[in-house]
C-alpha cells in the first residue's frame, strides 16, 4: 500500500494555515474593497460633477462675451443711424457692413443686422426687402417681443443669405438710443470656438461623452459618441436639477448621467459615463487583492509543507510503530530528535514498551501463582468440611453432658463459619448478614453475659437484599470493644434495617446504636472521611487500632461494590454512639419490620 504524499497532520496544518491567512485577508480585502469602491466611486462622481459645473461656467463666460459683442453694436453710430427714417447713403451702408465684418470676437461665426426698414446687412453686401417674419420662426419672434432689449441665445434653424443655417444664435433687438422708432434685429451665429471652449478644462475619458442640449431637446454640440434618443431625453427632462447650480447624477441602463442646467438660458449640460468607467479603479483593486490572496495562499502552502516535513515524518514513524505493534515491537525502540514535544512522545513510547514488558512478566508470574492457588484450593476444600464435622461432634458431646453454654457457643461459631465461607461468594442476603452478627453477639454474650443486651429489627422486604458479607460485624465489634470499654453491665446494642427514599433513589438504611461511651469527635471525623478517601489512605488511617482497620476494610469493600453511591458516618449521642450505613437498594420493598431481641 502506497503512502499518501501528504500525511494527515500535514494536510490539516496546510489547510488551517491557508484558512488562517485567507480569513484575515478576505475580511481585510472586503472591508478595504468596500471602502475604496465607495471612495473611488464618490471621487469619480465628484470629478464628473465638477466637469458639468465647469461646462456651465464656461458657457456663462462665452455667453457673456457674445452679449458684450452685441452691446458694442448698439453703441455703433452707423447702426444707430440705420434706424432713423432717413435712408443711409451707400457709403454709410458700407460702414455698417464694415462694423459687422470687424467684430473682433473669437466666438462669432456670422453677424447679420436687419434694420427697421427691411434692409439686411451682411459682411460684404446689403439686401433689401428682408422681413423679420420670414427670417425668424414664430416662437423666437414671440420671445424677442417679450424682451425689450435683452439678448436671446437659442439653438435654431434660420435662413440667412438665402441659405438655411442651423446652430446656436444670439438674437437681440437693437433700439435707437434717442428716438422711439421700431428696433432693428442683430443675429450672431456662434462659431466652432464657442463649442470648443464649452468643453475645455473638463475631466475627459475616452468612453465618456459630453453634451450641450437646448431647451427643446436639440443636441447643440457633443464630445463623444453617446447616442441620445427620445427615451434618454425624456429621462434627462424628468431629472432636471431643482437648483440652477446643482448637478444631478442618475444611473440609467448601465450609464451614469450627470445633468446640470444653465440657470439663465436654460441649456442643459450632460456628461454620460459608463458605470464600468466609474467602477474601473475598484475592479483593479479587487484584482490586486485576489492576486495578493493567491500569492499568500501559495506561500502558506509552500512554507507549511516545508516546515511540517520533518515533524510529519517522525509522526508517521511513531504512528507506524503503534499501528503495527506486536510482540516483536517490545525490542524496537523509537529514536526522534526534533527538539520538540515529539521527542518526549518517543521517550514515553519507549517507556511504555518497557512497562508493557514488565507487565507481561508480572502477568505471567500471577498466572503461574493462580494455577498454584487453584490447585491448593482444591486440596484444602476438605478442611472446612472436616471442621464442620468436628464442631458437630463437640456439639453432640456438649448436649450429652448438658452444657448449654457450650452448645450455644458451638452453634453460634458454626453459623459464623458457614456465613463467612458462604461458598466463596462475596455477597449474601441481608438475612444471612444479620444472622452472622447475631451469632457473633451470642458468642460475645457467653464471654460476659451481663455486659450487654441486643435488639435487631429489620423490614421483611429488605431481608433478601444482597449486601457485602461481614460488613456489620466490625461495626458491632467496635461498639463492644470501645463503646463498652468503661461498662461492666447494662450495655445495649440496637440494630435496625429498613428501606428509605432519598429523592428518587431507594436506599437500605442500617443503623447500629450503643449506649456506651460517646465516640470522640476526632475519631468520628477520621472515620467519616473514609468514604471520600482511597483504600490505601483508609488502611493508613488507623495503623495501630484493629477496630479502625476493620472499619477501613468495610469502607474499602463498599467502595469497590458501590463506588460513591453509599454513605457511612458516625455520630456521638448524649448516651453512646450511632453508626449509620446507607447503600442503594435494587427495588423498593414493603414497609414491614422483623424484630429479634436478646
Amino acid at each position: 500500500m502506497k503512502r499518501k504524499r501528504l500525511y494527515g497532520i500535514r494536510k490539516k496544518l496546510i489547510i488551517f494555515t491557508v484558512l488562517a491567512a485567507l480569513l484575515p485577508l478576505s475580511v481585510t480585502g472586503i472591508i478595504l474593497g468596500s471602502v475604496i469602491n465607495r471612495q473611488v466611486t464618490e471621487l469619480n462622481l465628484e470629478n464628473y460633477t465638477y466637469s458639468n459645473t465647469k461646462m456651465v461656467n464656461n458657457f456663462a463666460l462665452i455667453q457673456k462675451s457674445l452679449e458684450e459683442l452685441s452691446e458694442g453694436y448698439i453703441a455703433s453710430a452707423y447702426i444707430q443711424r440705420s434706424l432713423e427714417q432717413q435712408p443711409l447713403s451707400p457709403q454709410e451702408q458700407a460702414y455698417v457692413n464694415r462694423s459687422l465684418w470687424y467684430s473682433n470676437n473669437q466666438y462669432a461665426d456670422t453677424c447679420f443686422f436687419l434694420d427697421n426698414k427691411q434692409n439686411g446687412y451682411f459682411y460684404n453686401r446689403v439686401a433689401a426687402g428682408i422681413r423679420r417674419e420670414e427670417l425668424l420662426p414664430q416662437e423666437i419672434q414671440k420671445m424677442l417681443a417679450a424682451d425689450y432689449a435683452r439678448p436671446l441665445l437659442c439653438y435654431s434653424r434660420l435662413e440667412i443669405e438665402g441659405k438655411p443655417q442651423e446652430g446656436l444664435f444670439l438674437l437681440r433687438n437693437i433700439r435707437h438710443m434717442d428716438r422711439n422708432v421700431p428696433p432693428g434685429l442683430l443675429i450672431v451665429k456662434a462659431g466652432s470656438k464657442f463649442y470648443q471652449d464649452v468643453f475645455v478644462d473638463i475631466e475627459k475619458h475616452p468612453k465618456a461623452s459630453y453634451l450641450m442640449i437646448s431647451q427643446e431637446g436639440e443636441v447643440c454640440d457633443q464630445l463623444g459618441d453617446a447616442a441620445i434618443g427620445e427615451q434618454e431625453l425624456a429621462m434627462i427632462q424628468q431629472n432636471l436639477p431643482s437648483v440652477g447650480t446643482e448637478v444631478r447624477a442618475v444611473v440609467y441602463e448601465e450609464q451614469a448621467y450627470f445633468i446640470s442646467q444653465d440657470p439663465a438660458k436654460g441649456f442643459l449640460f450632460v456628461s454620460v459615463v459608463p458605470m464600468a468607467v466609474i467602477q474601473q479603479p475598484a475592479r483593479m483593486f479587487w484584482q490586486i487583492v485576489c492576486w495578493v490572496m493567491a500569492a499568500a495562499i501559495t506561500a502558506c502552502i509552500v512554507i507549511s509543507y516545508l516546515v511540517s516535513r520533518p515533524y510529519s515524518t517522525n509522526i508517521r514513524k511513531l504512528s507506524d510503530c503503534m499501528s503495527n505493534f506486536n510482540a516483536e515491537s517490545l525490542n524496537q525502540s523509537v529514536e526522534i530528535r526534533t527538539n520538540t514535544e515529539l521527542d518526549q512522545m518517543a521517550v514515553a513510547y519507549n517507556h511504555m514498551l518497557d512497562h508493557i514488558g514488565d507487565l507481561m512478566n508480572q502477568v505471567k508470574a500471577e498466572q503461574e501463582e493462580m494455577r498454584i492457588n487453584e490447585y491448593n484450593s482444591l486440596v484444602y476444600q476438605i478442611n472446612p468440611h472436616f471442621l464442620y464435622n468436628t464442631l458437630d461432634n463437640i456439639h453432640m458431646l456438649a448436649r450429652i453432658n448438658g452444657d448449654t453454654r457450650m452448645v450455644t457457643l458451638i452453634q453460634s461459631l458454626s453459623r459464623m463459619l458457614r456465613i463467612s465461607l458462604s461458598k466463596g461468594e462475596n455477597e449474601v442476603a441481608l438475612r444471612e448478614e444479620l444472622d452472622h452478627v447475631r451469632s457473633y453477639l451470642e458468642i460475645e454474650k457467653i464471654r460476659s453475659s451481663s455486659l450487654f443486651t441486643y435488639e435487631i429489627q429489620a423490614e421483611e422486604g429488605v431481608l433478601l437484599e444482597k449486601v457485602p458479607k461481614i460488613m456489620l460485624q466490625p461495626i458491632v465489634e467496635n461498639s463492644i470493644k470501645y463503646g463498652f470499654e468503661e461498662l461492666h453491665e447494662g450495655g445495649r446494642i440496637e440494630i435496625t434495617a429498613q428501606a428509605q427514599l432519598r429523592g428518587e433513589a431507594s436506599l437500605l438504611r442500617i443503623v447500629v446504636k450503643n449506649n456506651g461511651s460517646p465516640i470522640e469527635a476526632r475519631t468520628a471525623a477520621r472515620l467519616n472521611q473514609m468514604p471520600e478517601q482511597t483504600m490505601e489512605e483508609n488502611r493508613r488511617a488507623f495503623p495501630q487500632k484493629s477496630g479502625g482497620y476493620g472499619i477501613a476494610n468495610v469502607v474499602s469493600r463498599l467502595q469497590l461494590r458501590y463506588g460513591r453511591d453509599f454513605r457511612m458516618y458516625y455520630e456521638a449521642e448524649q448516651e453512646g454512639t450511632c453508626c449509620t450505613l446507607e447503600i442503594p437498594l435494587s427495588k423498593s420493598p414493603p414497609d414491614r419490620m422483623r424484630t429479634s431481641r436478646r
Side-chain angles (χ1 to χ4, degrees):
M1 180 178 177
K2 294 184 178 180
R3 290 181 178 176
K4 295 181 179 179
R5 299 185 65 183
L6 288 177
Y7 194 62
I9 292 180
R10 185 182 291 183
K11 285 182 181 179
K12 293 183 179 180
L13 177 61
I14 293 175
I15 292 173
F16 291 155
T17 305
V18 170
L19 291 177
L22 187 61
L23 183 60
L25 283 176
S26 300
V27 174
T28 304
I30 291 172
I31 295 174
L32 288 179
S34 301
V35 173
I36 291 177
N37 182 43
R38 184 175 65 252
Q39 291 181 348
V40 169
T41 303
E42 291 177 354
L43 180 60
N44 283 337
L45 292 175
E46 290 179 1
N47 289 338
Y48 290 108
T49 299
Y50 174 76
S51 297
N52 269 46
T53 304
K54 185 66 176 177
M55 285 191 290
V56 173
N57 293 336
N58 291 343
F59 175 79
L61 292 175
I62 297 171
Q63 172 191 329
K64 184 177 180 181
S65 177
L66 288 178
E67 290 178 354
E68 289 176 353
L69 172 64
S70 66
E71 290 174 358
Y73 286 129
I74 295 174
S76 173
Y78 295 104
I79 289 180
Q80 288 289 318
R81 174 77 176 79
S82 69
L83 297 176
E84 297 176 358
Q85 293 181 357
Q86 184 178 358
L88 297 178
S89 65
Q91 185 66 31
E92 290 175 332
Q93 290 180 350
Y95 287 146
V96 173
N97 279 338
R98 190 176 299 172
S99 63
L100 293 175
W101 181 262
Y102 295 106
S103 60
N104 196 24
N105 190 287
Q106 58 181 339
Y107 300 116
D109 180 54
T110 301
C111 291
F112 171 75
F113 177 66
L114 179 64
D115 63 14
N116 54 6
K117 294 181 285 293
Q118 297 182 357
N119 295 316
Y121 296 88
F122 301 94
Y123 286 142
N124 55 2
R125 69 186 182 90
V126 179
I130 299 177
R131 300 178 60 187
R132 179 185 291 213
E133 292 80 5
E134 297 175 355
L135 183 65
L136 301 177
Q138 190 174 3
E139 311 83 61
I140 296 180
Q141 294 183 40
K142 291 180 179 179
M143 287 188 287
L144 284 173
D147 293 329
Y148 178 74
R150 188 164 52 181
L152 174 63
L153 189 65
C154 64
Y155 186 85
S156 183
R157 294 174 181 85
L158 303 179
E159 188 172 340
I160 302 176
E161 295 184 285
K163 298 178 182 179
Q165 297 188 27
E166 180 178 354
L168 194 66
F169 296 93
L170 178 71
L171 306 172
R172 185 166 192 168
N173 288 320
I174 304 297
R175 299 183 181 275
H176 198 283
M177 291 186 294
D178 298 326
R179 300 176 184 179
N180 185 15
V181 294
L185 176 63
L186 177 66
I187 301 176
V188 180
K189 183 182 179 183
S192 59
K193 179 66 173 175
F194 181 98
Y195 303 106
Q196 292 175 5
D197 285 4
V198 168
F199 300 121
V200 74
D201 295 335
I202 62 174
E203 182 72 20
K204 297 178 181 178
H205 192 278
K207 295 183 180 181
S209 298
Y210 307 90
L211 301 96
M212 177 180 173
I213 303 175
S214 68
Q215 293 178 343
E216 292 76 21
E218 296 282 350
V219 177
C220 303
D221 194 20
Q222 177 175 346
L223 182 63
D225 56 357
I228 301 296
E230 295 182 358
Q231 295 180 353
E232 288 78 9
L233 286 173
M235 181 274 298
I236 292 173
Q237 292 291 342
Q238 292 175 359
N239 292 278
L240 292 177
S242 57
V243 181
T245 58
E246 180 186 359
V247 178
R248 177 166 294 181
V250 181
V251 178
Y252 180 75
E253 294 185 353
E254 301 300 325
Q255 303 277 353
Y257 291 79
F258 298 86
I259 307 169
S260 57
Q261 184 177 15
D262 174 61
K265 303 302 180 181
F267 284 88
L268 302 179
F269 297 89
V270 181
S271 299
V272 183
V273 187
M275 288 301 298
V277 173
I278 295 177
Q279 297 175 348
Q280 183 178 5
R283 286 200 303 271
M284 293 179 60
F285 174 79
W286 278 114
Q287 292 176 357
I288 294 173
V289 169
C290 292
W291 280 110
V292 170
M293 291 175 64
I297 292 172
T298 304
C300 288
I301 293 175
V302 173
I303 294 173
S304 300
Y305 183 85
L306 296 177
V307 170
S308 63
R309 185 172 183 178
Y311 304 109
S312 61
T313 301
N314 288 292
I315 291 174
R316 187 187 302 114
K317 182 194 299 184
L318 188 59
S319 176
D320 291 343
C321 291
M322 300 182 71
S323 300
N324 302 321
F325 185 84
N326 52 35
E328 298 179 357
S329 301
L330 294 175
N331 298 323
Q332 299 175 357
S333 60
V334 177
E335 295 292 334
I336 295 178
R337 296 179 180 178
T338 61
N339 198 25
T340 64
E341 290 81 357
L342 291 177
D343 301 354
Q344 299 298 325
M345 293 176 64
V347 172
Y349 176 78
N350 296 332
H351 288 169
M352 181 187 70
L353 295 182
D354 297 338
H355 188 58
I356 290 176
D358 296 340
L359 289 176
M360 292 180 66
N361 294 331
Q362 183 179 350
V363 169
K364 290 179 181 179
E366 291 178 352
Q367 288 178 345
E368 183 65 23
E369 184 177 355
M370 286 177 62
R371 285 196 294 270
I372 296 173
N373 291 336
E374 288 176 358
Y375 175 78
N376 291 334
S377 66
L378 293 175
V379 173
Y380 295 142
Q381 277 181 357
I382 192 172
N383 291 341
H385 297 287
F386 173 76
L387 181 61
Y388 295 152
N389 293 334
T390 302
L391 288 175
D392 287 342
N393 292 332
I394 297 174
H395 176 262
M396 182 177 62
L397 293 175
R399 290 183 62 185
I400 293 173
N401 294 329
D403 192 344
T404 57
R405 294 184 63 190
M406 185 62 69
V407 169
T408 302
L409 179 61
I410 293 172
Q411 287 178 339
S412 299
L413 179 60
S414 178
R415 284 195 300 270
M416 284 189 64
L417 289 174
R418 291 182 185 277
I419 294 174
S420 298
L421 295 174
S422 62
K423 299 180 181 180
E425 296 180 358
N426 293 323
E427 293 185 351
V428 297
L430 179 61
R431 184 195 307 275
E432 298 179 18
E433 177 68 13
L434 294 178
D435 288 343
H436 179 272
V437 172
R438 190 178 294 108
S439 300
Y440 170 75
L441 290 173
E442 289 296 332
I443 293 174
E444 289 293 333
K445 281 183 63 64
I446 291 174
R447 293 175 56 191
S448 53
S449 59
S450 61
L451 178 60
F452 69 91
T453 59
Y454 70 88
E455 180 180 0
I456 300 177
Q457 294 184 350
E459 291 181 356
E460 188 69 25
V462 300
L463 291 176
L464 298 179
E465 184 71 21
K466 291 289 185 177
V467 297
K469 67 180 181 182
I470 316 178
M471 68 173 184
L472 296 179
Q473 185 261 334
I475 300 174
V476 174
E477 180 181 355
N478 281 357
S479 297
I480 299 173
K481 185 174 182 179
Y482 300 107
F484 300 156
E485 187 175 12
E486 299 180 359
L487 290 180
H488 299 287
E489 60 181 8
R492 180 173 178 79
I493 296 176
E494 296 180 1
I495 303 174
T496 59
Q498 59 183 359
Q500 190 178 39
L501 287 176
R502 181 189 296 161
E504 298 181 357
S506 299
L507 303 174
L508 172 61
R509 190 168 189 267
I510 303 173
V511 180
V512 179
K513 291 184 179 181
N514 68 77
N515 63 344
S517 301
I519 189 172
E520 296 179 359
R522 181 180 179 184
T523 303
R526 293 173 66 185
L527 291 173
N528 294 340
Q529 193 177 0
M530 283 187 175
E532 306 296 328
Q533 299 179 155
T534 63
M535 291 183 286
E536 184 62 28
E537 291 173 337
N538 290 338
R539 280 193 285 273
R540 294 197 302 264
F542 294 91
Q544 312 235 336
K545 293 186 179 181
S546 58
Y549 184 82
I551 299 300
N553 182 276
V554 172
V555 172
S556 297
R557 289 190 290 120
L558 291 174
Q559 287 176 331
L560 291 173
R561 174 63 178 83
Y562 302 106
R564 292 185 176 274
D565 294 336
F566 79 96
R567 294 179 65 198
M568 181 176 179
Y569 55 92
Y570 277 83
E571 295 176 299
E573 297 186 345
Q574 187 173 1
E575 291 185 359
T577 303
C578 174
C579 177
T580 303
L581 175 63
E582 295 178 350
I583 59 177
L585 267 179
S586 59
K587 59 182 180 179
S588 300
D591 186 10
R592 290 180 295 176
M593 297 295 292
R594 181 183 176 188
T595 304
S596 175
R597 294 185 180 88
R598 288 293 299 271

